[in-house]
Amino acid sequence: MDLESLKRSYIEKEQTPTQMLDGIYKKIEDDELNDFILLSKNYAYEQAYLSEKRYEKKDGILKLDGIPFSIKDNFAVKGLRMTCGSKMLSDFVSPYDSTVYKRLKEAGAVLIGKNNMDEFAMGSSNETSFFGIVKNPFDKSYVPGGSSGGSAAAVGADHSLFSIGSDTGGSIRQPASFCGVVGFKPTYGKISRYGLVAFSSSLDTVGIITKSVKDCKEVFDVLRGDDGHDSTIEDLKPQRRELKNIGFVEKLEHVDKNVFKIYIDYCSKLEKLGFKLKPIVLDFIEISMAAYKIQTMCEASSNLARFDGIKYGLQHFSGDDLEGMYARVRGEGFGKEVKRRIISGTYFLMHNDGEYYNLSFKLRDYIANRIDILFKDIDLLILPTSLSLPFKMGEKIEDPLMMHLSDSLTAFANLANVPAISINADYFNSLPVGIQFVGKRNDDDNLLDSLSTIQMELKKDE
Amino acid sequence: MSNFVVNIGVETHIQIKTKSKIFCDCSTEFTDKPNVNVCPICMGLPGTMPTLNFEVIPLALKTAIALNCIINRISGFARKNYFYPDLPKGYQITQHKFPLAHSGYIILKSGKKIRIRRLHIEEDTGKMIHDQDENSLLDFNRAGVPLMEIVTEPDFNSKEEVIEYLERLQRIVRYLDVSSANMESGEFRGEPNISIRKKEEGLLGVKTEIKNLNSFKAIEKGITFEIERQKMLLDGGQKIESVTMLYDEKKQTLKPMRKKESISDYRYFPEPDLPDIILSEDLIEKIKNTIPELPEKKVERFKREYNLNDEESEIICQYKDYADFFEKSILGIKNVKRLTNFYIREMPVILKEKRMGVKDLPFDSDKLNALFKMVDEEKINLNLAQNILKEISSTGEHPDIILKRAFESDLSEDDLKNLIIQVLDENKKEVERYKNGEEKLFGFLVGQCMKKTKNRFSPGKVNEILRNILTKK
């Protein structure tokens, strides 16, 4: 069910927001996907009650009134736990609201719970969560992708109509692809990051997971714009235009052949719809991975320094001296992958007065430049979202380098600050395969409009 | 003992006078209650982000301009990463490669130029206190309070130069009204770094830094101790290690900080959550125009215009509002020199007694001006003026009223006549000599009458009546 028809069903009294919640909570329990770290039932029923009153009065109905949604557990909601999927914050209750939550609440949406995720958004399979692995709704022995794996699984399994996630190098698009849903990462600076726990501040974006592009656009319009708390916000509106020219790649390294076949088939469908497809060459993927890793690790090592056991989170006060206390808290509170990245980032920053970090910025500029040049000839770039099909639990988790390849087709969009969206293209052996569209910087509205049309046109054919 | 050259550089942290903190809306007001001026942002809670309080920029710019610095049209924030319990985020937001300003100077009285390497803005940390039971307590009221850090080149060769520099710097920021700059409350903190070398050696020696100096006295002592310590080491053939020394006020000693606490690698990198600060020529020009006459200039001008000596001018110009009060109060006065003592002795005593600044006095500069005019026009003498000042400083009344009351309320003109006649009786010899032509004795007699009348009559009046009586006799 999409946002519009759900709202209509409320208006036409086919069901109430409370009934909707009953159904959703039952389904979450029955499905056992472990896609939620926390269910905020009290909050939800309270909001649903207020929403019901508005529908009864038929007055003051809000934009997302009574729509159940979920939010990745690295967003602050006042009074609720915010764990970031980590032992470090397993008891942390936020005393303040993130901007995105605040805006959704003001729009009448009903928060049903907080989604499981890779610890501090570091991971591509949701296997690094302290709260256990999330299962893929299409096949429970498969991972849902990550790091917004709980969010994608929840939307894929109809546990919420939309979910808010975060995308630093593909953390929304890759799980969206694995769970057969839409995952949108806007241009950096469109949606306030205030209240999103920082992983890599210069790359982190707040994004949206939905069933349809149309829904995505509706939620995006609620979230976007300045809030006075995030100085990197710059919500420029593009000139409205039709996007006709699509760049595609004729070959890709390391790609699963079934994924690539679906990709090429999808491109032909687009051609039939009247789009012009132009072959392009993407030769900066490898560079982008190096820049991405250095930048995220450096920033993460600093962003995660605040978890020191002094003011909140995991604490150990007895016995140790200061240094010993830090070691104990951080040694125990962080998982393997998080530690790996903190240590690497610390090293990169220490080396030769931040030489690596500075270099990663130069690479970013280079990549952004190359993308800008590409977009002189095309309006959209189309790529597979992930090189691989959804994989089985445990298949890659012990191989960090393989795992890092998961970001290779997505991270460059974060580095170049351009919008990108993953939508489901097809299935292989009943596992979903997503296709990613990358747009011009600040061209988010045109990207969403075009994709919305594409999605509807292709549905007609089915 | 060998001959040593001392080189000292100074880092000064100055609290910028703003209502709210640099990256959030919390108050900067000083309070004894711990952890009341805090919020999720300055406590560094996960997910929070800094936004710059733009009030800080013009104030820091004013200082940079007054210190003859070059302003960077584009400057930016950086993260200084280290772990300490009073540091909420595990990093301090400061400026590193691109400070707000650089390459300025202050000139000492001797004419020596002290070069200022850079001026940047940053956030303060919290405060860790240890109680009697060895517990460590944390207060984050100060975390996020805006600071300017001003760093000099190692241009000082003595503690006296350091003190003079710091006193001048303190006076400048107070003149600009960019900081209250009180050392006791931590609004103005000087940290010297010291190196010594044998005279014949050209290169600077290894430097050490001294922290926790909360007064000018402490700074003087800290520098003295550290120079002695380094001399002893070098004389004993030992090497000096780069350490941070902590000054202990109670024990009057220096002790090195534990190695663990002194960090060498801060892993600086640009703060991704804050955009660069871009300054327009327009803004810089506007700020330039708000800079008042600076203390050094004022001291010189007062010496010139009001015929003050160096010491007098320095005392009067110590605080801007004091100097302004002075200048307004002597408007139209012919003989200023005679009245300067009011500002060297009487006024400081009154202010000290009342524990207030000139702007809180119950009288304004106009009233003082009226009083000074009476002296200038010889209506009253200095002694009486001092008494009237005392009175207006508690009642706030206009000096005219006090004078009138003094003259009219208890004594009439007849009373005055009688008093004068008494004086003349007591000084018969002098009266005789005056009558025999010693004109200068008239002044002596006036003085005696003034004494007798306890300054309740103006010299003019006493003059007039005395002359009348003397000519009648």
Side-chain angles (χ1 to χ4, degrees):
Chain A
M1 195 178 267
D2 63 20
L3 298 186
E4 201 190 330
S5 35
L6 180 57
K7 264 183 89 174
R8 203 180 317 117
S9 77
Y10 292 152
I11 291 167
E12 286 164 8
K13 300 206 167 124
E14 286 160 20
Q15 61 177 337
T16 67
T18 307
Q19 286 164 345
M20 185 70 195
L21 280 186
D22 292 339
I24 275 180
Y25 280 127
K26 180 159 189 317
K27 193 157 185 345
I28 292 171
E29 268 167 46
D30 292 347
D31 289 348
E32 293 182 325
L33 295 180
N34 196 29
D35 49 347
F36 283 86
I37 288 175
L38 177 129
L39 293 173
S40 47
K41 286 189 183 171
N42 289 342
Y43 266 51
Y45 280 106
E46 210 179 291
Q47 294 302 316
Y49 173 79
L50 296 172
S51 173
E52 241 166 81
K53 293 273 156 206
R54 288 188 291 269
Y55 278 109
E56 273 169 25
K57 271 201 248 163
K58 289 185 178 151
D59 187 32
I61 294 173
L62 302 162
K63 208 169 170 206
L64 298 173
D65 222 333
I67 309 286
F69 78 102
S70 55
I71 197 163
K72 192 177 179 179
D73 203 19
N74 54 354
F75 285 90
V77 175
K78 194 174 173 177
L80 293 187
R81 269 195 311 157
M82 172 170 67
T83 70
C84 295
S86 178
K87 183 177 181 185
M88 183 64 86
L89 291 179
S90 49
D91 293 322
F92 176 73
V93 175
S94 173
Y96 77 102
D97 278 333
S98 52
T99 296
V100 281
Y101 173 69
K102 215 168 150 192
R103 291 193 171 172
L104 289 169
K105 190 180 169 189
E106 281 162 11
V110 177
L111 177 74
I112 55 168
K114 302 192 78 182
N115 290 121
N116 204 341
M117 59 183 281
D118 275 306
E119 186 180 6
F120 285 106
M122 298 176 193
S124 306
S125 64
N126 226 298
E127 291 168 289
T128 71
S129 169
F130 177 67
F131 298 91
I133 303 171
V134 178
K135 293 166 185 126
N136 190 311
F138 285 84
D139 185 331
K140 285 191 184 180
S141 61
Y142 282 79
V143 301
S147 67
S148 309
S151 295
V155 175
D158 290 324
H159 294 169
S160 65
L161 268 91
F162 66 92
S163 178
I164 304 303
S166 62
D167 188 315
T168 307
S171 274
I172 281 180
R173 289 160 285 159
Q174 185 254 21
S177 165
F178 281 16
C179 295
V181 292
V182 173
F184 172 51
K185 172 211 106 66
T187 303
Y188 184 85
K190 291 274 167 207
I191 302 177
S192 170
R193 288 180 288 126
Y194 187 72
L196 160 66
V197 179
F199 159 23
S200 178
S201 315
S202 73
L203 294 163
D204 292 342
T205 48
V206 177
I208 303 153
I209 294 172
T210 50
K211 273 273 171 72
S212 71
V213 181
K214 191 168 154 277
D215 285 359
C216 181
K217 197 172 158 36
E218 252 180 80
V219 177
F220 179 52
D221 283 335
V222 170
L223 299 183
R224 71 193 301 174
D226 193 13
D227 66 337
H229 278 303
D230 178 349
S231 329
T232 62
I233 290 285
E234 195 184 26
D235 186 15
L236 302 169
K237 303 255 160 67
Q239 233 182 12
R240 305 315 295 267
R241 64 203 171 98
E242 219 181 314
L243 307 184
K244 275 286 154 201
N245 301 306
I246 301 180
F248 77 108
V249 289
E250 286 170 317
K251 30 170 215 211
L252 259 185
E253 275 185 63
H254 307 296
V255 72
D256 179 291
K257 62 177 191 303
N258 297 307
V259 169
F260 201 68
K261 188 178 176 300
I262 288 174
Y263 168 68
I264 294 296
D265 288 350
Y266 196 86
C267 289
S268 355
K269 283 185 197 166
L270 290 175
E271 222 159 12
K272 274 179 209 147
L273 285 180
F275 288 96
K276 281 193 189 118
L277 273 94
K278 290 187 178 176
I280 53 128
V281 179
L282 277 191
D283 55 3
F284 47 77
I285 293 298
E286 224 164 303
I287 294 172
S288 77
M289 288 317 288
Y292 171 73
K293 271 171 222 171
I294 289 169
Q295 194 135 63
T296 53
M297 286 171 179
C298 289
E299 290 180 11
S301 75
S302 170
N303 281 330
L304 272 65
R306 69 189 63 201
F307 305 110
D308 57 2
I310 299 283
K311 301 173 295 298
Y312 51 79
L314 191 68
Q315 292 183 317
H316 280 300
F317 279 137
S318 57
D320 294 301
D321 65 352
L322 187 58
E323 198 107 318
M325 187 197 81
Y326 287 148
R328 213 171 139 193
V329 166
R330 291 169 69 81
E332 205 179 293
F334 291 138
K336 235 190 202 169
E337 181 61 24
V338 172
K339 279 186 223 165
R340 194 151 35 211
R341 298 199 197 188
I342 290 175
I343 292 167
S344 311
T346 306
Y347 168 76
F348 287 136
L349 282 178
M350 278 171 81
H351 188 271
N352 208 2
D353 195 21
E355 188 193 7
Y356 284 124
Y357 186 74
N358 297 336
L359 190 63
S360 75
F361 258 105
K362 281 190 191 139
L363 292 179
R364 265 186 89 163
D365 284 346
Y366 168 77
I367 292 160
N369 235 319
R370 292 292 306 278
I371 297 266
D372 290 350
I373 292 167
L374 271 182
F375 276 108
K376 279 183 181 161
D377 294 329
I378 57 173
D379 305 316
L380 283 171
L381 173 61
I382 181 170
L383 282 173
T385 308
S386 167
L387 289 171
S388 71
L389 292 165
F391 46 89
K392 283 201 164 168
M393 285 171 194
E395 203 179 309
K396 289 187 181 177
I397 189 68
E398 290 310 323
D399 188 351
L401 284 178
M402 262 317 283
M403 196 64 102
H404 279 299
L405 264 186
S406 311
D407 303 324
S408 33
L409 297 182
T410 44
F412 75 88
N414 300 72
L415 291 165
N417 297 350
V418 292
I421 187 165
S422 174
I423 65 175
N424 180 253
D426 209 339
Y427 299 85
F428 181 78
N429 282 346
S430 347
L431 291 171
V433 173
I435 294 298
Q436 179 188 208
F437 287 84
V438 180
K440 245 168 97 166
R441 194 169 309 120
N442 286 315
D443 211 17
D444 303 51
D445 298 274
N446 290 323
L447 173 73
L448 288 173
D449 282 350
S450 301
L451 263 286
S452 186
T453 316
I454 290 172
Q455 211 178 27
M456 281 191 281
E457 290 290 327
L458 289 179
K459 254 203 188 112
K460 274 190 219 156
D461 293 349
E462 275 169 17
Chain B
M1 275 283 257
S2 327
N3 252 332
F4 288 104
V5 181
V6 176
N7 281 95
I8 306 173
V10 178
E11 279 176 22
T12 315
H13 287 91
I14 304 172
Q15 180 174 337
I16 304 173
K17 205 196 254 182
T18 54
K19 279 206 181 72
S20 52
K21 292 185 177 180
I22 185 165
F23 298 126
C24 64
D25 294 333
C26 288
S27 167
T28 54
E29 211 167 306
F30 181 81
T31 161
D32 287 333
K33 266 193 176 165
N35 300 308
V36 288
N37 292 333
V38 295
C39 74
I41 297 171
C42 56
M43 288 292 280
L45 290 193
T48 57
M49 297 173 74
T51 43
L52 179 63
N53 171 3
F54 276 98
E55 242 188 295
V56 167
I57 302 296
L59 298 178
L61 274 180
K62 247 175 148 176
T63 314
I65 293 166
L67 298 178
N68 313 295
C69 290
I70 298 172
I71 311 288
N72 278 329
R73 266 50 178 180
I74 300 178
S75 69
F77 290 101
R79 291 187 184 176
K80 180 179 179 178
N81 296 283
Y82 65 97
F83 285 95
Y84 206 64
D86 67 9
L87 189 66
K89 298 183 291 295
Y91 56 84
Q92 180 193 24
I93 302 178
T94 176
Q95 295 191 294
H96 183 53
K97 281 195 180 138
F98 306 100
L100 196 70
H102 63 96
S103 308
Y105 60 86
I106 276 187
I107 294 174
L108 301 184
K109 193 157 267 171
S110 63
K112 180 171 177 177
K113 198 184 218 181
I114 302 297
R115 290 169 299 159
I116 288 163
R117 185 182 296 167
R118 53 186 280 140
L119 180 152
H120 70 249
I121 50 181
E122 62 184 25
E123 57 175 344
D124 206 349
T125 64
K127 208 163 79 181
M128 186 151 76
I129 316 148
H130 304 279
D131 69 4
Q132 315 96 301
D133 308 323
E134 303 264 307
N135 290 315
S136 300
L137 305 170
L138 287 161
D139 177 6
F140 290 98
N141 283 342
R142 238 175 50 190
V145 163
L147 299 178
M148 293 183 279
E149 183 175 329
I150 298 167
V151 185
T152 74
E153 298 293 342
D155 286 350
F156 303 97
N157 298 110
S158 70
K159 60 172 188 279
E160 288 79 13
E161 286 178 357
V162 173
I163 298 293
E164 192 192 334
Y165 161 81
L166 286 171
E167 282 173 348
R168 289 194 164 216
L169 183 58
Q170 188 184 43
R171 197 166 65 174
I172 290 171
V173 295
R174 283 176 173 165
Y175 258 64
L176 298 172
D177 201 26
V178 300
S179 175
S180 307
N182 292 314
M183 286 188 104
E184 319 78 60
S185 44
E187 293 161 335
F188 189 91
R189 317 197 280 267
E191 287 165 5
N193 52 70
I194 299 166
S195 70
I196 65 173
R197 64 188 152 101
K198 295 206 172 119
K199 237 183 184 150
E200 56 276 17
E201 279 167 17
L203 289 173
L204 290 180
V206 176
K207 69 175 182 196
T208 61
E209 201 182 320
I210 316 178
K211 281 189 191 268
N212 202 30
L213 300 166
N214 299 323
S215 65
F216 284 114
K217 214 170 226 159
I219 290 170
E220 256 186 289
K221 281 192 178 144
I223 294 174
T224 310
F225 295 163
E226 181 54 18
I227 291 173
E228 279 315 305
R229 192 187 70 91
Q230 290 194 16
K231 275 184 183 167
M232 291 242 296
L233 284 172
L234 288 186
D235 273 335
Q238 284 176 281
K239 274 193 179 161
I240 288 162
E241 267 185 87
S242 176
V243 284
T244 301
M245 307 295 288
L246 266 190
Y247 181 72
D248 189 324
E249 181 83 58
K250 274 186 207 141
K251 293 187 199 148
Q252 299 258 335
T253 52
L254 285 179
K255 64 162 201 255
M257 271 174 104
R258 283 183 303 147
K259 271 257 169 63
K260 277 181 184 176
E261 291 168 27
S262 63
I263 310 103
S264 57
D265 193 336
Y266 290 116
R267 290 172 282 127
Y268 285 102
F269 71 95
E271 167 58 86
D273 285 333
L274 291 167
D276 287 341
I277 304 165
I278 299 166
L279 301 172
S280 66
E281 299 304 318
D282 221 40
L283 177 73
I284 294 171
E285 209 46 48
K286 254 184 217 153
I287 288 165
K288 264 187 191 155
N289 293 333
T290 66
I291 293 181
E293 183 182 33
L294 290 172
E296 284 72 29
K297 287 247 170 75
K298 208 183 269 289
V299 167
E300 287 312 310
R301 182 169 65 81
F302 277 19
K303 278 160 72 177
R304 217 170 45 235
E305 282 183 15
Y306 304 122
N307 195 21
L308 307 181
N309 67 32
D310 204 60
E311 202 192 337
E312 289 167 342
S313 194
E314 287 279 351
I315 291 173
I316 291 171
C317 294
Q318 176 62 26
Y319 296 94
K320 183 173 177 293
D321 54 358
Y322 197 63
D324 289 346
F325 201 90
F326 167 81
E327 211 163 17
K328 277 190 211 145
S329 71
I330 54 155
L331 262 178
I333 303 291
K334 282 180 223 102
N335 191 350
V336 173
K337 181 81 187 162
R338 203 149 63 115
L339 294 164
T340 47
N341 254 337
F342 277 87
Y343 281 87
I344 309 298
R345 266 189 257 118
E346 278 76 17
M347 287 283 280
V349 169
I350 290 167
L351 293 173
K352 206 171 169 191
E353 265 174 13
K354 297 188 180 290
R355 289 161 194 257
M356 52 170 68
V358 280
K359 64 176 188 302
D360 309 311
L361 283 171
F363 62 93
D364 56 15
S365 52
D366 286 352
K367 282 181 183 159
L368 199 55
N369 184 244
L371 179 65
F372 286 172
K373 274 193 176 135
M374 292 176 188
V375 179
D376 211 37
E377 289 159 9
E378 307 250 347
K379 280 189 191 151
I380 58 171
N381 66 8
L382 280 172
N383 276 335
L384 180 56
Q386 283 163 10
N387 290 336
I388 293 176
L389 174 62
K390 263 183 220 152
E391 210 161 327
I392 57 175
S393 73
S394 50
T395 64
E397 284 170 309
H398 197 281
D400 274 350
I401 296 169
I402 296 170
L403 192 64
K404 234 177 162 183
R405 193 165 55 221
F407 287 164
E408 288 170 4
S409 62
D410 54 343
L411 292 177
S412 65
E413 206 168 301
D414 284 340
D415 294 332
L416 176 60
K417 272 182 196 160
N418 290 332
L419 283 171
I420 291 176
I421 290 164
Q422 259 184 48
V423 170
L424 296 180
D425 279 347
E426 286 159 16
N427 296 282
K428 277 183 181 142
K429 267 186 203 159
E430 284 76 11
V431 174
E432 207 58 35
R433 281 165 62 193
Y434 170 76
K435 285 189 170 169
N436 291 335
E438 279 188 62
E439 275 288 336
K440 63 178 179 189
L441 275 169
F442 184 75
F444 166 79
L445 290 172
V446 171
Q448 293 303 305
C449 292
M450 292 302 287
K451 230 188 216 169
K452 194 81 174 178
T453 60
K454 294 187 176 119
N455 291 322
R456 278 175 297 185
F457 292 90
S458 71
K461 193 84 192 163
V462 172
N463 240 308
E464 181 196 324
I465 295 174
L466 179 65
R467 209 174 280 280
N468 270 339
I469 296 172
L470 282 174
T471 37
K472 269 185 207 158
K473 270 198 169 175

